[in-house]
Amino acid sequence: MSVLGTGHCTLDHFGIVGRFPEPGKETEMKAFSVQGGGTAATAVVVVARWGGQARFFGKVGDDARADAIEGTLSGEGVDTTFLVREAGAVSQFRFVALERGTGDHRTLFSRGNTTALTPAEASDVRVDSSDLLVLDGMEPAAQITLAKRANESGAPVLLDAHHLDSDHSELVERADYLVASERFASRWTGLGELDGATRALLEAGPDTVVLTLGDEGAVGAVETQEELLWIPAYPVDIVEDTGSGDIFLGAFAYGVARGWPLERQIRVANLAAGLSCAQIGSRGSIPSLETVENRLREEA
């Protein structure tokens, strides 16, 4: 089972404090962690940790941070052959300050100065050898090129549309699976009612639409069924949730590539995302597949 992910990758820095300082004051961190980040990049790490073959196509600079970003992927067994290094460019990073015990956090980030991935850079990326193409919507020009080739070869396309804007509707049209938030669905379709927004997204192109609802779980819909499939969230003690959406995407991608039924895909993704909220960081919080499956059996 092989999954190709493409889009944003970054280096996350997490600093944990007892309480945030008053303006103009300082405080010592209780803990500090550096991890890989980025929606599509974290999704393929989930696939790799769970035993699948994973490849990643993205862009970094040619600095020390680029080496670190690649290491967070290759060290997990992700194939980084198609990770583009841009000469003279500064790589992206993010810093998250987290208040222990409350889950409150402050996020600072830098996009660096790498240029967007281009269709030309996507030309050598093999799509037909993948069981699933995962797109995060953050590199639309290159991702539309890859989606076209996936459609032609028969490889299914999974689009995370959280970061997508209305100028790139072709990505929605070319997706077989679409994962997004309820807020995105309402904004994209102009419909406030969940069922109507979901059906409008299905009419736009995807065969399957999954909308995440935060602590209310997630809903799924397919063209052939009239009723929405609602899967409730699993109760967890939340430490922080900055990477839960990325982990949901990765777990869902794993289920799609494995050919699981939609209900199991969403249940596994829901639980993996929920369990991740009990740990710090988007990569340090990825639960093992065994942990997720054991918890599902307990809940059955």
Side-chain angles (χ1 to χ4, degrees):
M1 182 265 283
S2 175
V3 173
L4 169 63
T6 177
H8 186 60
C9 56
T10 189
L11 196 65
D12 284 345
H13 302 70
F14 293 90
I16 297 88
V17 298
R19 293 188 64 181
F20 286 128
E22 296 294 327
K25 303 294 183 179
E26 63 180 40
T27 189
E28 183 179 0
M29 290 186 292
K30 303 298 184 182
F32 180 73
S33 176
V34 179
Q35 306 175 21
T39 298
T42 297
V44 295
V45 168
V46 173
V47 171
R49 285 198 192 173
W50 286 11
Q53 294 182 334
R55 296 180 295 149
F56 183 75
F57 170 49
K59 183 178 284 190
V60 293
D62 65 354
D63 50 4
R65 195 178 301 135
D67 296 334
I69 293 171
E70 181 169 12
T72 66
L73 291 166
S74 61
E76 299 280 1
V78 176
D79 185 342
T80 58
T81 301
F82 299 112
L83 184 65
V84 179
R85 287 176 173 262
E86 184 172 356
V90 177
S91 300
Q92 53 275 19
F93 78 96
R94 183 174 68 155
F95 184 86
V96 180
L98 175 70
E99 189 174 68
R100 177 173 285 169
T102 68
D104 192 13
H105 60 272
R106 309 283 189 270
T107 302
L108 304 172
F109 70 93
S110 170
R111 301 180 189 276
N113 64 355
T114 57
T115 57
L117 288 170
T118 66
E121 288 169 328
S123 62
D124 293 331
V125 179
R126 290 284 305 277
V127 173
D128 56 356
S129 61
S130 298
D131 296 304
L132 181 67
L133 172 64
V134 178
L135 312 175
D136 67 3
M138 298 185 70
E139 295 282 0
Q143 291 177 348
I144 287 172
T145 297
L146 291 176
K148 288 178 179 178
R149 287 164 47 197
N151 293 159
E152 293 167 358
S153 69
V157 177
L158 167 57
L159 171 65
D160 183 300
H162 286 83
H163 305 287
L164 200 65
D165 61 50
S166 57
D167 293 334
H168 302 110
S169 59
E170 187 175 352
L171 277 176
V172 175
E173 296 168 5
R174 292 191 172 278
D176 298 287
Y177 299 84
L178 184 143
V179 173
S181 65
E182 183 180 12
R183 178 180 297 180
F184 168 87
S186 178
R187 174 172 58 85
W188 181 275
T189 65
L191 301 173
E193 192 265 325
L194 188 61
D195 185 77
T198 305
R199 295 298 164 190
L201 285 170
L202 283 171
E203 291 173 2
D207 299 319
T208 302
V209 170
V210 174
L211 300 182
T212 56
L213 310 176
D215 59 8
E216 295 183 6
V219 296
V222 295
E223 288 184 315
T224 56
Q225 296 182 1
E226 292 186 5
E227 294 186 2
L228 297 180
L229 172 65
W230 174 63
I231 306 296
Y234 292 88
V236 293
D237 294 325
I238 297 178
V239 175
E240 68 98 10
D241 61 357
T242 57
S244 60
D246 303 345
I247 293 169
F248 182 100
L249 178 67
F252 185 78
Y254 180 87
V256 171
R258 288 287 303 271
W260 290 347
L262 179 60
E263 181 176 355
R264 178 165 172 77
Q265 292 168 1
I266 299 176
R267 285 194 185 281
V268 168
N270 250 1
L271 183 52
L275 291 174
S276 75
C277 294
Q279 303 293 329
I280 293 172
S282 51
R283 304 279 176 84
S285 61
I286 298 173
S288 69
L289 179 58
E290 181 181 10
T291 296
V292 173
E293 291 181 331
N294 287 341
R295 184 69 175 271
L296 281 175
R297 283 191 287 268
E298 293 172 2
E299 298 286 343

